[in-house]
Amino acid sequence: MFVVQIAKITRMPADIAFSFDKLTRDAQRHIRVFQVHQFLDRFAMGLTVAVVALALIDRGMDLFQISLLFGVYSVTTMAMELPFGGLADNIGRKPVFLSAVVASVVSLGLFLSSSDFYVLALSFAFIGFGRALRSGTLDAWYVESFKAMAPDVDIQPALAKAQWANSMGLAVGAICGGLLPDAFGHFAAQRGFSVYDVSYVASLTMMIVLFLYTLMFIAEGPRPLNPKALGQGFRDVPAVIKEAGLLALKHRTLSMLLLALALFLMATNPVEVFWPTHVKGMLDEGYANTAIGALTAAYFFSIAFGAALSPRINRMFKRRNAVSLSVAFACLAALQIALAFQSGIIGFVGIFILFSIALGATETPASSILHSCVENHQRSTMLSLRSLVQQLGAAIGLMAVGGLAEGYSLPVAWIGGAAFLMIAVLLTGILAKRLSG
């Protein structure tokens, strides 16, 4: 629902141009508080994102088991995201976000406590649970509070400031998360722990800092507790899925787009998850994790750059979104195959950055097609269905490619996964003809 609200806000002409210096002190403080919050939140997550696959291998997991663990995360997120969608609106954004942080702390605690597959699966389930709780909570609080403090002021620059802090948190967290095992991992190893536990302990510490910061600095008025909200959320799930599914089936453009997006995630998600395990063998053991952390940060920046380039690319194809999406998928397929053939770090880094830029360039045309196909009253439902379809595609892709990687090799699995992208290219090509006809 928050995504829909933001879409409406940013399309409306602003009465007053945004100027940070001209805002009231309360509005300025509101922006700064949320920027720090977003940085802390993403920094805590970024500390583990660069090393998660390496940490799992160090715990004795094979590539197929890692695929299953990420599948548990995806399925949990899918199962919980819709029921929890309206919970923050009913009981308050702050308590729901605090619950999400608690879920993250539990997840990290479980991960650090065991190398057993089933305990790790429970840890990944809590990650998915936390993500479902996080979805659209404090973002909505930020927008609503800003509009109350600065009525009729263009909100898009305020959102950009928050997004910048979000991206910087992820990037800096990824760099630190890779650096910590190289710098302090030997202390952990001497005490019988994994070198990667250092990054996870740092993330756990930052989650506690985030909890305290949220508790102290995020101010929200009390809301009347509605104990029926969560139960109603679960009861509404079948109806929401049915409504969205029927809409997609009746609208062939939506059906083709959603199928293409599922195939896109089936192909690319295994690259996003497994590339650190492929790269580590190309690097010297003394600095491998630090280099992987830096490359993870470059990955996030490259996606942001690709998203910024997307409007220019779309103009090259005369604003035909389906054509732009088809070209982006074709580039991704070629780059994914090229990535599989890289045996040296320089070649891999160059191709990987291009791959990440192409990945970022897919979001705008895909979203534009989806929003052009639905009415306002259908938008939230369709966004929920898109999220479900993409999570399902990611889970299936990870299990399929993970099994292939374990049976043959990771490069072979990536090449096989590129076949999903080629099917997506064909679908979006047909979609382009349909939309231009």
Side-chain angles (χ1 to χ4, degrees):
M1 290 179 66
F2 169 68
V3 175
V4 179
Q5 290 167 354
I6 295 300
K8 290 178 181 176
I9 290 167
T10 54
R11 282 197 298 269
M12 289 176 64
D15 294 328
I16 305 171
F18 179 93
S19 171
F20 186 81
D21 293 334
K22 293 181 180 179
L23 293 174
T24 64
R25 286 188 179 181
D26 285 344
Q28 290 177 351
R29 181 182 180 277
H30 181 66
I31 291 173
R32 291 195 184 106
V33 164
F34 193 62
Q35 279 186 301
V36 174
H37 185 277
Q38 289 294 282
F39 181 87
L40 291 174
D41 187 21
R42 296 302 167 175
F43 179 75
M45 293 181 180
L47 284 165
T48 60
V49 73
V51 298
V52 58
L54 301 174
L56 288 170
I57 286 176
D58 201 50
R59 276 169 159 69
M61 301 296 110
D62 59 36
L63 294 180
F64 183 63
Q65 287 175 310
I66 294 173
S67 300
L68 291 176
L69 290 172
F70 276 92
V72 168
Y73 158 74
S74 294
V75 169
T76 306
T77 304
M78 281 191 294
M80 297 297 180
E81 194 163 9
L82 283 176
F84 288 136
L87 188 62
D89 291 331
N90 284 283
I91 69 171
R93 281 63 186 266
K94 182 175 176 177
V96 172
F97 185 86
L98 289 171
S99 300
V101 178
V102 170
S104 297
V105 169
V106 172
S107 169
L108 291 164
L110 287 169
F111 193 97
L112 286 165
S113 70
S114 179
S115 297
D116 180 77
F117 174 81
Y118 294 102
V119 176
L120 293 174
L122 186 59
S123 171
F124 273 74
F126 269 97
I127 297 174
F129 180 55
R131 173 172 171 174
L133 284 170
R134 264 181 173 84
S135 182
T137 51
L138 290 190
D139 307 88
W141 166 85
Y142 177 60
V143 171
E144 290 171 2
S145 300
F146 179 82
K147 287 178 71 63
M149 295 173 185
D152 301 323
V153 174
D154 183 11
I155 198 172
Q156 191 169 7
L159 291 170
K161 285 180 176 292
Q163 185 58 44
W164 177 85
N166 188 305
S167 300
M168 288 301 295
L170 270 175
V172 176
I175 293 170
C176 293
L179 177 64
L180 287 171
D182 286 340
F184 303 104
H186 61 284
F187 293 113
Q190 288 172 0
R191 289 161 177 76
F193 298 102
S194 166
V195 296
Y196 301 105
D197 285 355
V198 180
S199 296
Y200 276 82
V201 170
S203 181
L204 180 60
T205 303
M206 289 308 304
M207 284 294 177
I208 294 170
V209 171
L210 175 65
F211 184 91
L212 295 174
Y213 182 89
T214 306
L215 205 60
M216 294 170 62
F217 293 102
I218 302 298
E220 183 184 32
R223 291 172 183 246
L225 183 64
N226 181 4
K228 297 180 180 180
L230 184 57
Q232 187 60 44
F234 276 101
R235 285 192 295 272
D236 287 347
V237 169
V240 170
I241 294 174
K242 180 181 178 182
E243 180 186 349
L246 288 173
L247 176 61
L249 287 173
K250 290 176 182 177
H251 202 304
R252 289 190 63 188
T253 298
L254 280 175
S255 300
M256 294 171 69
L257 176 65
L258 292 173
L259 180 56
L261 290 175
L263 290 164
F264 157 64
L265 265 293
M266 287 168 69
T268 59
N269 206 45
V271 177
E272 296 177 71
V273 170
F274 291 128
W275 71 263
T277 66
H278 185 63
V279 166
K280 190 173 183 182
M282 304 176 188
L283 300 165
D284 183 271
E285 188 65 30
Y287 63 83
N289 297 310
T290 303
I292 288 170
L295 189 52
T296 303
Y299 164 75
F300 289 126
F301 284 128
S302 298
I303 288 177
F305 181 63
L309 279 180
S310 184
R312 293 177 179 270
I313 295 170
N314 204 32
R315 283 197 293 271
M316 287 171 55
F317 296 104
K318 300 178 181 177
R319 302 184 186 278
R320 291 178 293 172
N321 289 302
V323 175
S324 299
L325 189 60
S326 185
V327 170
F329 285 165
C331 290
L332 279 169
L335 290 166
Q336 184 162 320
I337 292 169
L339 208 57
F341 284 103
Q342 302 307 309
S343 57
I345 188 61
I346 295 175
F348 185 91
V349 169
I351 299 296
F352 186 64
I353 287 176
L354 290 174
F355 177 87
S356 305
I357 292 170
L359 205 61
T362 62
E363 174 58 30
T364 301
S367 295
S368 297
I369 296 169
L370 185 142
H371 287 298
S372 68
C373 292
V374 295
E375 302 293 334
N376 286 341
H377 69 280
Q378 303 167 324
R379 209 173 301 279
S380 181
T381 302
M382 191 48 58
L383 287 169
S384 297
L385 182 63
R386 176 184 173 173
S387 176
L388 285 171
V389 166
Q390 288 188 300
Q391 289 288 344
L392 183 61
I396 293 172
L398 275 170
M399 287 186 280
V401 173
L404 195 60
E406 196 58 36
Y408 296 92
S409 69
L410 190 55
V412 169
W414 282 351
I415 293 169
F420 296 134
L421 274 170
M422 295 310 299
I423 300 171
V425 170
L426 293 173
L427 278 172
T428 47
I430 295 169
L431 192 58
K433 288 184 178 180
R434 179 182 177 84
L435 293 175
S436 61

